Amino acid sequence: MTTDTAAPVRSAQLSLRRILPPIVTGQEIVLLAVLVVLWVVLGIFTPAFLTPGSIGPLLVQVAPIALIGVGMTFVIITAGIDVSVAAMIMVSAVTTARMLVAFDIPAILAVLVAVVIGSALGALNGLLIAYGRVHPIIITFGTANLFQWLGLRVFDSSTVNGIPSTLEFFGRGGAGSTFGVPHSFAIAVLAVAAAWWFLRYAKAGRNLYAIGGNQNAARLAGIKVQPRLVWVYVITGALAGLAACMVIATGTATLDQSVGSGKELQVIAAVVIGGTSILGGRGSVVGTLLGAILVQTVVSGVTQLGWPTQLGFLFVGIFILIAVGTDLIRERTRRRA
Amino acid sequence: GCTSRNDPGQTAEPGATDGASTEDLTIAFVPKLQGIPYFEAMNTGGQQAAEELGFEWLYQGPTTADAAAQADIVRSFIQQGVDVLFVAPNDPNSMAPLLEEAQAAGIHVATTDTDAPDSVREVFVNQASVDGIGEALTDTLLEAMGGSGQYAIVSCGETAANLNAWIEVQEAYTASEYPDAEIVDIVYAGEDQAAATQMATDLMNSHPDLTGLVGECTSSAPGVAQAVEDAGRTGEVFTVGLGTPQSMLPYLESGSSSGSILWDVEALGYLTGWAGVQLATDGDLGDLSGVDNEALAEAEYDESTGVLLLGPPTVFTAENAGDYDY
Amino acid sequence: MTATTTITPPEQRRGQAARARDWFASGGLKDRATLLLGLIVLLLVVMGILDGVGLTSGQFNSDYLASTLIAYVPLALLALAELFVITSGRGGIDLSVGSMVSLTGIVFAMLYQQAGLPLAIAVVLAVLFGALLGAINGFLTAYLGYPALITTLATFYAYRSIALVVSEQRPISGPEISQFYNAAKAVELPVIGGTLPLVPLGVFTFLLPVAIVAWFVLNRTSYGRKLYAIGTNDTAAQWAGIDTRRTRMMAYVTAGAIAGLVGVYTVAQFASARPDAGTSGSGMALPAITIAVLGGVAITGGIGRLSGILLAALLIVWLNASILLVVPGNEGAQAQLLALGLVLLGASLLSNATIRRRQRGLSKPLSVPGTAAGSTR
Amino acid sequence: MTDTAQRTDPAPAPGPAPRLEMRDLSKRYGGVRAIRHADLTVQPGTVHALVGENGAGKSTLIKILSGAEHPDTGTISIDGTPVSIASTTDAIALGVQTVYQEPQLFPELTVAENFFVGREITRGPTIDWRAQAPRMLELLDTVGLDRSLASQPLGALSIAKQQQVSIAKALLEQASVLILDEPSAILTDAEIEVLFGVVRRLAADGVSIIYISHRLDELFRIADEVTIMRDGETVSSQPIGELTVREIAERMVGGAIAEGVHEAGEHGEQVLELEHLTLEGAFSDVSFSVRAGEVVGLYGLVGSGAAEVGEVVYGMRRATSGRMRAAGDDRHPATPAEAKRRGIRMVPANRTSQGSFSFQPIAFNITIGSLGLLGRFGWVSPKAERRIADDLIRRLAVKTPSGRQPIGAMSGGNAQKVVLARQIVEQPRLLVLAEPTQGVDVGAKEEIHRIIADLAERGAAVLVITTDLAEVQRIADRVLVFRSGRIAHEFPPTASQASLLAAAAGAEEHVEAPRLDTEEESR
Ligand SMILES: Nc1ncnc2c1ncn2[C@@H]1O[C@H](COP(=O)(O)OP(=O)(O)OP(=O)(O)O)[C@@H](O)[C@H]1O
Ligand SMILES: Nc1ncnc2c1ncn2[C@@H]1O[C@H](COP(=O)(O)OP(=O)(O)OP(=O)(O)O)[C@@H](O)[C@H]1O
Ligand SMILES: [Mg+2]
Ligand SMILES: [Mg+2]
């Protein structure tokens, strides 16, 4: 290495390229490859996997997971976790659905209601985590119970029937897609793109990695750690609210209290398959999107192959191990180098 | 001492109600799960019976369809010393010992909606026979499908005993009565509507010749219809299911559902309440003459099996589904 | 003043004040047990008053409290399993306990009911099988370096799926298994039993032996010391010559074995083996973790006591049982969620605040990048 | 009370106000009075040394100044204006920059990013790398780091380099007060030279520097004034030239310090023997031996490879080639556990991250390495534990009210004794110590040296790996100087510091080179 003191600026530009992590991570390439292989295999062994009629609904199913996955990626990058997302979906969905039925509010308003509710719940998480200084998993276990209670109260021992098709823009049907691209998936992709840019180039985004890498040092460096943390959980809540709209739209005209259940683990699975380190400080939203698609591909693929449905989750488990395993190995070789 | 279980008269006074008034009679019902229209409608029927027959009706269900949570509630009702306890067990085997405990505490025990056959229950209030449901589902679907073709079943909880029993009947009945029809797959979506919809979509894709879908429970029945509607294949793929009338109404009207097989759930709740009174007062379960409820007209009691049957299942269509408010 | 005053040997006899200071200095652990005990007493008093003025729908008495212990056994046992795993540190957690319960329950029923093995052998094999499942978790986590959350999320899905596939999603039951309910049901205690409520047998056959063994393991064996050591500081444990990987792996094996035992217990409790026994609804893992945390187990490892677990589980079981007597109808079951959430949040926020006040800035392990201790969790 | 140390507060200067004036500061942590009535006055453009025993209150004072802690009482003025420092951001805004003792950095981010965390130059919401890069590269040059490191993830750098990054980072913005809390503890001498150059330049530019170090001799080369703290109080403050190392040390401990003398006795059988031992990337072809009763010092600058020799001997790492015979066995120990079984023990270099179980009691910390002594069949007897712990607490004069105190609340020197105690619960056959007194105050250092000598006299073979010249001279029977992964030279303890340093730093002619050290060296 020659130290070119004479031309610091040029030297600066030279190293600029490598100041930020590479545009695509190894994990994303691996995931993409696995996905391509899976899709080709499924395309060969099932009659109709690679048709718009099959891929479209699959992507619709992916959308809410990927969308919340964006928020969850932020959360996990800050070395946190949020196990209350399923309960947040439930509260947002039932409240919004009830308002749709009772007041026939327009779609924009419905989305607004859902997002505001999600944000409020997320803010509670964020405030307790940032200022209570209790581990996020404990706080969100606690709030998950509270939110569930809240959701059940809103359900009031009944289902919400006759939900109008106001939100069909996000739906699985014809109104839910343009040129075969489901709107909900497109929204998820947009969110991923925005988050990718944010995490890579924006000050506030880069600071999340710092917070996750060493929270104390981040505080000493003058980063306002606590407000940042609150925002991260608020964003997750807001996205859960938006996802709730998609859940309403892709569901039937009836909403019951099982809405959202199990989604928290699905989202976390997508995020960790995507290469985000559960220890914080490292992660990518593109990986999360690919992870969400992978999980849904496996589950749908098993059904389409005619195998027992339950086997799908065995494969999901195995994929989690493989995906994170390759990441671990790569990380280890990087460290050694 | 530290226990009052040896004090006489501490536990409920089941004997005190002999034949006399039903004024301070308490009848409790523990559903599999609270908050779903099906059981809430049973609750409505039970309350109606309570008003008309003059007893106290208690209803409490777990927030998840979980045998353990259900057992906690049953235990609390035993403690409350109710006179009659009805349970719709999530897991029939697991409920048996608890029912025995309840009986030992002097409580009349019975099942409704789902039986616990190897238990001490005095009566099972049955909505419809297993055969009746399985056959009605099959007949309704195959009528729409024109008597032949491939169809698939989207079931719910993998371990739900009644769903699995109905599926067995459907398989046997299809094989014997509709030789040109075939069940190509059975999948399990849990209690999740969205998963049911996605699985139905996957099934339609993987079996291009599929012309029928069955939604085996109240969450998957609308789910499969929704999938057909989303795929734009209404009129090509027919669905039936066990859905509550209100949740099925939009699909029945649009034609994506050819019929919903269920029974008058409120009447089932009413019948449950009535049976409770009979148990507590040593009344005759076979004698429904005094009942002023036409929905119970076809109810009959089988002394030998201890089953009180509501009647044949009802097929809800676009015409009659609107008459029910659950 | 001379320079010789610097060294004062530790006093042999220390006053009450010093003991009290130690007691506080040892962290929020004992505090947590006291807090929980206080809450239990408070609950009993409040319920007693409510019962006295007739606001409860049933008698709130010792018989009822005793009968609810049947649900206490699996909850406390699984929380104990989490204690081992979480205390082992480095983000230790086991999301798969519920799935292991389901799967070992099925395996037990197959061995006992279908293969007709003697009860004792079937139980031992089932527990060993649970240990094997735990060993898979442990191997992946301790030897291959997977974060525990990921390992056990994966095996949560995998074990659950296997349980459903091998049982063809049907519960297994039969005469032997129905008989086996006797192992869990309430019995009259010998000798003095007449004056005491009926206590579920499972408390004595399952919980008590495990709790006693666990207490000794945690407090009186070198394995216990090693477990707390790796949980407190993995790097330092390595330097101290502890086989950290084996110690950590054993924590997961223990959790698996306990989950296996709970699998057997649930078969007894429900008189049937359900392939979704530990995973239906919200599953058994999340409540178990919640109870462990409520019992004072630090999610960051190295801190956790048996007493906290036993008290926390008791508090929750009795709280739930009380709610059912006070709040009728569907609201009752819903209020259990509210209560659990509030107790968990309240207890952890409260005790965190007191710990922080007491030992603010207690030097954290230096963050050395590239080593295990560098990870902030 | 007879306080022998005279309080020589500089008289209120008639001229311009001092850069920094801290008056009557107090801070309690629960029952501990970390500092009481402490004063500190720093003039512009001076280097002000802050010294004191472990736990004297230096770091606390600094944390208050940098906004990381809030004082209970007292006032702070900068350039004559009273200020209130409520957060680290406030401090930075006032021009107070701090390099903490432990680098506060982000392992997953690149070196370049680490520079600007929290004070990025932005264009809209995005970070403007083009604007940031030149300044950063310049600062890398300033502290003598290679520019190519800018794109490395920080975690891939050695700790010493990370420390340099954190110093460079503190220079990013114009500082009026720069605080360096033991910046030299993990730097090599060459790196320290660069650091001193930077410090002098900054002082010349008018920056006031507060410099904390336990290496008293180095202070004389850099500091203008010195403030001495003892038990939370500032006992004196004056130009450093008025004092000698010895006088400073005496004031720190509040009395005279004993001169530790190590007697080289008879040495027994060979306990450790290395032949052509190599660990790729760390050291190669290392051969030497240690006998029972002998203290061998491995002296080398940070990164010389000496540290890794200890790790190999203790089984923390596997050598790539070569022969090692340790405690009568030809096999390389595969794990520390195996090494332990043979009677090999090692005290790691970092007592906090490698040595302490922070919230566990002292007794736990002492006995965790010898659980076999606490009972048979894997059993542990609390009584035996207490007995062993109390015994060692007494033997090593650990300052604690009881063995039940958590180690995390102890000062550095006491924690170090506890970590040492763990490894001598059973008399080891071979004891390896890495940096046994790093960051430990003079008094505790003395005691630890005596304990080491005592162990050797009782027949242990001792290998001391250190970057502290005075230490290796004081306690070793033989000194092996490491350079670039090889043994460069062997010296008797009587060799001058200059020779050792020259050998380690790579001078061509290292035997009895002219003394590089300051004239204060009076031992
Ligand atoms: N967070 C804290 N909680 C309780 N006591 C503390 C805390 N920080 C410091 N102390 C106490 O305050 C006293 C002064 O500590 P301080 O860190 O200022 O010492 P120091 O001079 O920096 O010592 P060292 O040379 O070891 O760094 C010590 O006795 C210590 O025990
Ligand atoms: N929670 C605490 N309770 C009591 N004392 C504490 C606590 N935390 C830190 N201390 C004391 O504060 C001192 C200084 O803390 P700090 O982290 O600055 O140590 P340090 O500067 O690394 O010590 P050294 O100079 O010996 O390396 C410690 O040596 C310790 O005695
Ligand atoms: Mg300090
Ligand atoms: Mg210090």
Side-chain angles (χ1 to χ4, degrees):
Chain A
M1 173 74 195
T2 56
T3 319
D4 190 0
T5 37
V9 177
R10 182 141 50 88
S11 167
Q13 280 162 355
L14 281 180
S15 44
L16 237 184
R17 236 177 290 136
R18 291 179 54 214
I19 284 172
L20 292 171
I23 299 265
V24 256
T25 66
Q27 183 73 5
E28 288 156 8
I29 294 169
V30 170
L31 276 178
L32 206 57
V34 170
L35 261 182
V36 169
V37 171
L38 260 184
W39 282 32
V40 168
V41 169
L42 285 170
I44 293 169
F45 288 101
T46 66
F49 184 82
L50 286 178
T51 59
S54 160
I55 298 291
L58 187 146
L59 295 181
V60 171
Q61 195 77 359
V62 165
I65 301 291
L67 199 60
I68 304 172
V70 167
M72 189 70 85
T73 308
F74 287 4
V75 164
I76 294 182
I77 284 174
T78 65
I81 195 154
D82 188 344
V83 293
S84 73
V85 288
M88 292 198 284
I89 293 178
M90 178 183 175
V91 179
S92 298
V94 63
T95 317
T96 310
R98 292 215 122 186
M99 296 192 71
L100 282 169
V101 172
F103 307 115
D104 202 14
I105 53 175
I108 294 284
L109 198 55
V111 170
L112 201 67
V113 166
V115 169
V116 167
I117 290 172
S119 311
L121 301 181
L124 179 66
N125 278 337
L127 289 170
L128 288 176
I129 288 165
Y131 297 98
R133 304 235 203 110
V134 175
H135 196 284
I137 201 167
I138 300 173
I139 293 289
T140 53
F141 267 140
T143 55
N145 281 299
L146 294 188
F147 297 165
Q148 243 173 342
W149 170 78
L150 194 62
L152 289 177
R153 295 308 305 148
V154 182
F155 265 114
D156 196 17
S157 293
S158 165
T159 49
V160 186
N161 287 321
I163 302 169
S165 55
T166 314
L167 290 171
E168 66 184 358
F169 179 79
F170 300 113
R172 211 185 298 254
S177 57
T178 305
F179 305 124
V181 180
H183 299 147
S184 56
F185 183 71
I187 290 170
V189 169
L190 279 181
V192 167
W196 180 83
W197 176 88
F198 174 76
L199 283 177
R200 192 177 172 80
Y201 296 109
K203 173 179 152 86
R206 295 306 301 165
N207 285 352
L208 295 186
Y209 289 96
I211 292 171
N214 185 344
Q215 186 166 334
N216 194 40
R219 189 169 295 121
L220 290 175
I223 295 177
K224 295 198 173 58
V225 173
Q226 287 161 332
R228 290 275 152 85
L229 283 181
V230 174
W231 275 114
V232 164
Y233 287 89
V234 169
I235 288 170
T236 307
L239 292 174
L242 186 55
C245 294
M246 298 177 178
V247 170
I248 294 173
T250 53
T252 64
T254 302
L255 194 76
D256 68 36
Q257 49 182 271
S258 71
V259 57
S261 80
K263 286 264 192 299
E264 71 275 46
L265 292 184
Q266 287 176 30
V267 172
I268 294 169
V271 173
V272 298
I273 288 178
T276 296
S277 164
I278 203 81
L279 305 175
R282 188 163 54 85
S284 105
V285 281
V286 178
T288 299
L289 176 66
L290 294 172
I293 298 177
L294 182 67
V295 169
Q296 195 54 47
T297 301
V298 171
V299 173
S300 277
V302 165
T303 311
Q304 294 208 15
L305 285 169
W307 295 352
T309 331
Q310 303 78 17
L311 267 185
F313 286 100
L314 178 58
F315 293 122
V316 169
I318 292 171
F319 268 108
I320 292 175
L321 291 180
I322 293 175
V324 177
T326 56
D327 190 44
L328 279 178
I329 291 168
R330 239 177 308 105
E331 186 62 12
R332 227 166 269 174
T333 43
R334 181 176 80 94
R335 289 261 183 239
R336 211 164 283 150
Chain B
C2 288
T3 177
S4 41
R5 69 190 151 86
N6 304 324
D7 311 351
Q10 191 279 315
T11 47
E13 303 86 34
T17 51
D18 290 299
S21 85
T22 57
E23 274 306 289
D24 46 2
L25 190 62
T26 50
I27 298 176
F29 169 44
V30 183
K32 290 180 182 179
L33 172 69
Q34 61 160 271
I36 65 171
Y38 181 86
F39 286 115
E40 297 303 323
M42 274 187 77
N43 183 27
T44 311
Q47 272 166 353
Q48 195 193 334
E51 268 162 39
E52 292 177 11
L53 306 178
F55 60 89
E56 192 187 351
W57 171 259
L58 299 173
Y59 169 84
Q60 189 167 46
T63 54
T64 55
D66 178 15
Q70 202 181 17
D72 289 343
I73 294 174
V74 169
R75 221 170 277 123
S76 107
F77 277 134
I78 295 176
Q79 180 69 13
Q80 292 174 34
V82 297
D83 296 298
V84 186
L85 177 62
F86 279 97
V87 183
N90 276 305
D91 180 5
N93 291 310
S94 77
M95 201 44 74
L98 257 177
L99 293 183
E100 212 175 309
E101 265 172 47
Q103 196 174 53
I107 297 172
H108 293 284
V109 290
T111 53
T112 180
D113 174 72
T114 305
D115 197 11
D118 302 322
S119 70
V120 296
R121 58 98 175 135
E122 294 168 49
V123 62
F124 166 45
V125 182
N126 192 1
Q127 59 274 48
S129 69
V130 170
D131 291 338
I133 295 168
E135 287 167 14
L137 279 170
T138 313
D139 287 335
T140 312
L141 180 64
L142 278 148
E143 188 185 331
M145 286 167 61
S148 65
Q150 296 183 342
Y151 77 95
I153 297 174
V154 179
S155 187
C156 304
E158 291 97 344
T159 59
N162 51 353
L163 306 192
N164 288 338
W166 298 332
I167 291 172
E168 269 173 34
V169 172
Q170 286 166 266
E171 287 176 316
Y173 187 69
T174 304
S176 65
E177 298 296 312
Y178 299 96
D180 295 336
E182 183 197 359
I183 300 177
V184 291
D185 207 348
I186 301 166
V187 299
Y188 301 86
E191 300 293 333
D192 183 346
Q193 284 186 13
T197 313
Q198 178 61 30
M199 284 183 176
T201 308
D202 289 337
L203 287 169
M204 284 189 279
N205 285 319
S206 57
H207 302 280
D209 297 331
L210 196 78
T211 51
L213 282 164
V214 180
E216 200 73 29
C217 72
T218 51
S219 70
S220 71
V224 295
Q226 180 74 37
V228 170
E229 235 167 64
D230 289 342
R233 297 184 65 187
T234 309
E236 298 167 37
V237 179
F238 303 93
T239 75
V240 296
L242 289 117
T244 49
Q246 279 295 325
S247 74
M248 294 308 291
L249 191 55
Y251 305 103
L252 292 167
E253 282 172 347
S254 75
S256 56
S257 174
S258 308
S260 176
I261 286 57
L262 211 64
W263 40 89
D264 188 330
V265 186
E266 286 183 3
L268 180 64
Y270 192 101
L271 185 62
T272 302
W274 176 82
V277 176
Q278 301 307 304
L279 285 177
T281 57
D282 273 338
D284 181 2
L285 282 162
D287 177 20
L288 282 139
S289 53
V291 184
D292 178 25
N293 188 331
E294 59 183 277
L296 303 185
E298 292 184 77
E300 56 190 55
Y301 181 61
D302 180 345
E303 185 90 50
S304 63
T305 54
V307 174
L308 179 59
L309 184 68
L310 177 64
T314 310
V315 178
F316 295 111
T317 59
E319 285 74 48
N320 65 358
D323 303 341
Y324 300 84
D325 58 358
Y326 55 87
Chain C
M1 200 189 236
T2 56
T4 51
T5 57
T6 44
I7 302 156
T8 38
E11 299 161 35
Q12 299 300 326
R13 295 268 171 272
R14 291 170 321 104
Q16 287 297 111
R19 281 173 169 276
R21 226 179 305 123
D22 276 8
W23 191 81
F24 275 114
S26 64
L29 303 171
K30 291 177 181 167
D31 274 344
R32 182 61 68 98
T34 326
L35 176 69
L36 291 169
L37 205 58
L39 285 175
I40 291 175
V41 171
L42 181 71
L43 174 73
L44 296 181
V45 169
V46 168
M47 284 303 293
I49 294 171
L50 288 181
D51 191 22
V53 299
L55 283 176
T56 55
S57 53
Q59 271 225 359
F60 185 77
N61 57 15
S62 56
D63 295 303
Y64 183 51
L65 291 179
S67 73
T68 57
L69 292 181
I70 197 166
Y72 172 61
V73 175
L75 201 57
L77 281 176
L78 289 182
L80 180 58
E82 295 291 348
L83 167 88
F84 274 87
V85 168
I86 297 176
T87 301
S88 79
R90 288 185 67 182
I93 199 162
D94 195 339
L95 298 178
S96 73
V97 284
S99 299
M100 293 197 283
V101 167
S102 301
L103 187 48
T104 47
I106 290 294
V107 167
F108 169 72
M110 286 176 157
L111 294 172
Y112 182 49
Q113 176 75 50
Q114 298 181 345
L117 291 183
L119 178 64
I121 294 180
V123 170
V124 169
L125 287 178
V127 171
L128 285 179
F129 183 74
L132 175 73
L133 297 179
I136 295 174
N137 284 336
F139 181 75
L140 289 166
T141 308
Y143 284 90
L144 299 189
Y146 280 92
L149 192 81
I150 288 169
T151 312
T152 57
L153 178 65
T155 53
F156 158 76
Y157 282 126
Y159 296 162
R160 183 181 75 170
S161 158
I162 295 170
L164 287 166
V165 172
V166 298
S167 65
E168 292 171 331
Q169 56 266 353
R170 274 168 177 58
I172 300 176
S173 60
E176 275 90 359
I177 285 181
S178 301
Q179 273 307 108
F180 190 43
Y181 178 71
N182 292 333
K185 80 171 188 194
V187 292
E188 181 170 304
L189 301 181
V191 193
I192 50 163
T195 58
L196 290 175
L198 300 177
V199 178
L201 191 58
V203 172
F204 305 104
T205 50
F206 287 85
L207 180 59
L208 217 54
V210 175
I212 291 171
V213 171
W215 188 86
F216 273 101
V217 168
L218 291 172
N219 295 293
R220 288 289 183 273
T221 66
S222 56
Y223 177 74
R225 293 297 152 104
K226 291 180 195 166
L227 181 68
Y228 283 108
I230 64 168
T232 308
N233 185 345
D234 194 68
T235 312
Q238 243 166 302
W239 278 97
I242 292 170
D243 188 340
T244 55
R245 293 189 295 187
R246 217 181 72 184
T247 310
R248 180 161 291 114
M249 163 124 166
M250 283 311 294
Y252 288 86
V253 172
T254 309
I258 295 177
L261 199 64
V262 174
V264 173
Y265 179 80
T266 50
V267 172
Q269 186 189 354
F270 296 121
S272 78
R274 288 179 305 130
D276 58 355
T279 46
S280 71
S282 50
M284 285 185 172
L286 301 193
I289 295 166
T290 309
I291 298 290
V293 167
L294 183 60
V297 176
I299 205 84
T300 41
I303 299 178
R305 297 197 162 198
L306 184 68
S307 56
I309 297 287
L310 296 181
L311 290 170
L314 195 62
L315 174 65
I316 292 306
V317 167
W318 281 354
L319 185 60
N320 281 344
S322 303
I323 288 172
L324 291 181
L325 283 192
V326 176
V327 188
N330 286 342
E331 285 81 0
Q334 294 168 7
Q336 294 178 335
L337 294 168
L338 178 68
L340 178 60
L342 289 180
V343 170
L344 177 63
L345 287 176
S348 44
L349 286 169
L350 184 73
S351 90
N352 194 49
T354 52
I355 290 176
R356 242 191 309 149
R357 212 176 321 120
R358 200 173 306 136
Q359 19 173 260
R360 188 165 336 159
L362 188 137
S363 31
K364 302 155 213 78
L366 170 70
S367 173
V368 181
T371 67
S375 52
T376 48
R377 309 176 54 171
Chain D
M1 281 290 278
T2 57
D3 196 348
T4 50
Q6 71 272 45
R7 188 178 282 264
T8 50
D9 285 341
R19 169 61 44 79
L20 169 73
E21 207 172 1
M22 300 175 83
R23 282 268 161 265
D24 200 29
L25 283 149
S26 306
K27 170 84 188 167
R28 310 177 73 107
Y29 291 109
V32 183
R33 303 181 72 175
I35 52 171
R36 35 188 167 171
H37 314 300
D39 299 324
L40 180 66
T41 306
V42 183
Q43 304 297 338
T46 60
V47 180
H48 196 108
L50 187 59
V51 299
E53 273 198 278
N54 293 124
K58 306 178 298 292
S59 295
T60 307
L61 200 61
I62 289 323
K63 282 178 192 157
I64 289 170
L65 183 55
S66 65
E69 292 280 5
H70 307 285
D72 300 333
T73 67
T75 56
I76 305 176
S77 346
I78 289 181
D79 292 325
T81 325
V83 294
S84 111
I85 301 176
S87 70
T88 49
T89 332
D90 284 0
I92 291 169
L94 288 165
V96 177
Q97 298 286 346
T98 312
V99 177
Y100 294 95
Q101 191 171 348
E102 287 151 10
Q104 295 291 337
L105 299 169
F106 308 94
E108 300 282 357
L109 301 183
T110 59
V111 169
E113 283 199 81
N114 265 284
F115 265 82
F116 290 92
V117 168
R119 45 188 158 170
E120 295 86 351
I121 302 173
T122 52
R123 210 170 35 197
T126 56
I127 298 172
D128 187 351
W129 279 104
R130 247 159 263 281
Q132 289 186 348
R135 180 88 181 106
M136 167 203 61
L137 292 171
E138 216 174 278
L139 287 169
L140 284 180
D141 289 342
T142 308
V143 297
L145 284 175
D146 197 300
R147 288 179 164 214
S148 68
L149 293 180
S151 60
Q152 297 275 321
L154 181 98
L157 269 56
S158 71
I159 302 286
K161 291 230 164 71
Q162 295 185 21
Q163 173 79 302
Q164 285 173 290
V165 170
S166 74
I167 293 169
K169 189 182 150 175
L171 305 178
L172 196 57
E173 274 163 36
Q174 189 54 47
S176 57
V177 179
L178 176 66
I179 303 165
L180 301 167
D181 194 351
E182 293 191 47
S184 58
I186 51 176
L187 297 189
T188 66
D189 295 72
E191 288 159 351
I192 290 175
E193 276 314 315
V194 176
L195 172 66
F196 282 2
V198 174
V199 169
R200 288 198 190 96
R201 197 149 6 107
L202 288 169
D205 289 348
V207 179
S208 300
I209 289 132
I210 300 176
Y211 192 98
I212 299 177
S213 176
H214 288 293
R215 295 187 176 184
L216 301 183
D217 51 349
E218 81 184 14
L219 296 178
F220 286 86
R221 297 167 51 208
I222 188 73
D224 302 306
E225 300 196 12
V226 57
T227 292
I228 300 170
M229 294 191 74
R230 185 172 75 230
D231 291 341
E233 292 183 74
T234 39
V235 293
S236 77
S237 189
Q238 62 203 144
I240 198 162
E242 297 174 5
L243 296 170
T244 62
V245 169
R246 195 179 183 83
E247 283 166 341
I248 293 179
E250 282 170 8
R251 277 186 205 177
M252 278 167 55
V253 299
I257 41 172
E259 196 81 8
V261 186
H262 174 56
E263 307 252 350
E266 284 295 294
H267 299 154
E269 36 135 25
Q270 272 190 5
V271 179
L272 176 68
E273 192 181 356
L274 307 183
E275 274 177 37
H276 311 296
L277 200 67
T278 299
L279 173 65
E280 238 157 71
F283 59 82
S284 57
D285 198 21
V286 169
S287 310
F288 68 89
S289 63
V290 187
R291 292 174 170 280
E294 188 182 27
V295 180
V296 172
L298 285 192
Y299 170 73
L301 307 178
V302 173
S304 66
E308 286 83 353
V309 172
E311 294 181 8
V312 169
V313 170
Y314 191 51
M316 285 294 287
R317 296 225 214 170
R318 286 293 254 184
T320 31
S321 68
R323 213 174 70 81
M324 172 164 101
R325 185 174 172 76
D329 195 330
D330 267 334
R331 283 165 305 154
H332 296 206
T335 61
E338 200 181 318
K340 256 170 51 178
R341 273 196 291 279
R342 294 198 215 158
I344 305 172
R345 297 288 183 143
M346 179 164 179
V347 178
N350 188 315
R351 64 175 160 271
T352 319
S353 73
Q354 299 170 327
S356 296
F357 301 96
S358 58
F359 42 77
Q360 303 293 353
I362 292 169
F364 177 105
N365 271 279
I366 290 177
T367 55
I368 189 69
S370 320
L371 293 169
L373 292 184
L374 302 187
R376 262 182 286 179
F377 312 118
W379 221 239
V380 160
S381 141
K383 217 190 238 164
E385 178 184 36
R386 214 171 315 125
R387 183 170 40 75
I388 292 174
D390 285 349
D391 178 46
L392 276 145
I393 289 172
R394 202 173 314 113
R395 247 174 78 195
L396 304 197
V398 179
K399 287 176 227 168
T400 174
S402 95
R404 290 195 233 174
Q405 222 71 32
I407 191 176
M410 303 183 89
S411 79
N414 276 308
Q416 180 71 21
K417 286 187 195 168
V418 170
V419 176
L420 175 59
R422 178 185 309 151
Q423 303 299 19
I424 62 170
V425 167
E426 301 165 88
Q427 166 82 7
R429 291 186 69 187
L430 170 64
L431 179 65
V432 184
L433 301 113
E435 306 293 353
T437 60
Q438 187 175 74
V440 164
D441 69 71
V442 183
K445 197 169 185 167
E446 201 69 35
E447 285 167 15
I448 289 172
H449 286 167
R450 223 180 6 244
I451 295 161
I452 295 171
D454 182 49
L455 284 165
E457 273 153 36
R458 290 210 235 159
V462 179
L463 182 62
V464 178
I465 302 167
T466 178
T467 52
D468 184 336
L469 260 181
E471 172 165 275
V472 77
Q473 259 196 327
R474 155 135 358 130
I475 63 173
D477 295 319
R478 287 188 292 138
V479 181
L480 305 173
V481 174
F482 253 70
R483 189 176 73 236
S484 313
R486 287 167 189 277
I487 297 180
H489 208 277
E490 178 173 337
F491 291 94
T494 49
S496 76
Q497 293 202 352
S499 323
L500 296 177
L501 191 58
E508 294 300 323
E509 185 54 64
H510 44 68
V511 185
E512 293 303 335
R515 289 186 65 124
L516 295 175
D517 254 319
T518 58
E519 56 289 351
E520 314 311 317
E521 189 54 58
S522 56
R523 293 186 189 122

